[in-house]
Amino acid sequence: MLAVTALARRAMAPGARAVPLAPLSAALRRSLFIQTENTPNPESLKFIPGKPVLESGTAEFRSFRDAQASPLAKRLFQVDGVKSVFFAQEFVTVTKAEDVEWSVVKPHVFAHIMDFYAEGSPVLDPGHEHGAQDTVISEDDSEVVAMIKELIETRVRPSVQEDGGDIVFKSFNEDTGIVKVQLQGSCSGCPSSSITLKSGIENMMMHYIPEVTGVEADDEDEDADDMPLSPMGIPRIRPAQAKSEGRDAFNSLGEQ
């Protein structure tokens, strides 16, 4: 097994006495089987622990500073090369830098997720806001904005989340007809994200809502890479360079 729990590592230390694992941790280790799925982004992988990640909604962390609200995200950022962490209800998407190798990063992500679930800690700190509030229709929304939000929530978001990401509605300019959205998870920085926007999401919105003339990405966190990826004093894990292949974007979205 790739993952080794913290208690097991302590027990294997030189001169340490054998420490039996607690029954709950042992049971979780036996029952937790983490699967991975490729995404359209070759730098992103979906990790599916087979147990709930979030009760509802999604949460994204693009830097170690952002990850302070999540004990699990902080652990994952300790792996050198991890650029962002995305949580959904049933999976975790980890996005790495281009100059790191999945064959080295993936075992450490497995270990951190395995240890985390064995400890039973919450994924998010109490009080941390998350969820799809962007598509909640308010009384101040115009008819066009309400239609955009409904279309994102019912037609676009399910397809994007299936590929390990999410889409967040940011704004609609009534003068230009431009819809601004933010791509998260595997969709953020994906080489095929422009195809996803133009061939899929934009075509669909322009078909159902004539007032929409285009859809553009609003990447407000481009400076997140300037932050260190792990806290000071924690040893970093240095992977090597490699390439990985992912699936095509959900081209069928534009055909629906």
Side-chain angles (χ1 to χ4, degrees):
M1 181 180 293
L2 290 173
V4 180
T5 66
L7 284 175
R9 286 196 294 266
R10 182 179 300 176
M12 291 187 295
R17 294 181 301 173
V19 180
L21 292 172
L24 179 59
S25 296
L28 284 172
R29 289 175 62 221
R30 288 194 298 267
S31 62
L32 190 64
F33 179 70
I34 303 175
Q35 295 178 297
T36 61
E37 287 185 6
N38 291 332
T39 74
N41 187 348
E43 313 305 338
S44 299
L45 273 180
K46 286 175 63 176
F47 293 81
I48 308 171
K51 294 181 177 296
V53 179
L54 295 181
E55 294 182 0
S56 62
T58 61
E60 185 182 47
F61 305 94
R62 296 193 177 188
S63 70
F64 179 76
R65 180 170 59 183
D66 293 342
Q68 298 308 300
S70 169
L72 176 55
K74 285 192 292 186
R75 288 192 178 197
L76 295 176
F77 271 106
Q78 292 175 18
V79 181
D80 191 25
V82 171
K83 292 184 60 178
S84 69
V85 177
F86 175 81
F87 296 144
Q89 297 181 42
E90 298 179 351
F91 64 85
V92 176
T93 297
V94 174
T95 301
K96 67 174 182 64
E98 294 182 2
D99 59 345
V100 299
E101 186 177 351
W102 273 123
S103 62
V104 178
V105 173
K106 189 159 60 173
H108 297 293
V109 174
F110 273 127
H112 281 304
I113 295 177
M114 195 81 74
D115 283 350
F116 181 82
Y117 274 94
E119 294 172 1
S121 302
V123 174
L124 299 175
D125 290 338
H128 177 71
E129 296 183 359
H130 70 284
Q133 301 298 321
D134 60 296
T135 52
V136 175
I137 300 175
S138 66
E139 296 180 356
D140 298 332
D141 289 336
S142 65
E143 181 181 358
V144 174
V145 171
M147 293 173 62
I148 293 172
K149 289 183 175 181
E150 181 179 359
L151 197 61
I152 290 176
E153 182 65 27
T154 60
R155 301 294 296 274
V156 180
R157 176 162 280 150
S159 296
V160 175
Q161 289 187 350
E162 185 177 348
D163 283 335
D166 199 5
I167 181 171
V168 177
F169 171 75
K170 303 299 291 187
S171 65
F172 171 68
N173 189 316
E174 296 185 357
D175 295 330
T176 63
I178 297 298
V179 176
K180 290 281 189 177
V181 298
Q182 183 185 24
L183 297 176
Q184 297 182 341
S186 64
C187 299
S188 178
C190 177
S192 59
S193 60
S194 59
I195 300 176
T196 300
L197 280 176
K198 299 301 179 181
S199 299
I201 301 172
E202 183 178 85
N203 286 349
M204 177 184 292
M205 286 206 177
M206 293 174 62
H207 174 76
Y208 287 104
I209 310 174
E211 292 84 353
V212 173
T213 61
V215 179
E216 298 179 357
D218 181 19
D219 294 326
E220 59 183 16
D221 296 327
E222 287 294 331
D223 59 343
D225 291 340
D226 295 336
M227 292 299 300
L229 297 181
S230 67
M232 184 177 297
I234 295 181
R236 306 297 293 276
I237 305 164
R238 178 63 60 184
Q241 179 179 6
K243 293 183 179 180
S244 175
E245 295 183 355
R247 294 179 293 137
D248 293 332
F250 56 101
N251 296 329
S252 60
L253 182 61
E255 302 174 357
Q256 296 179 356

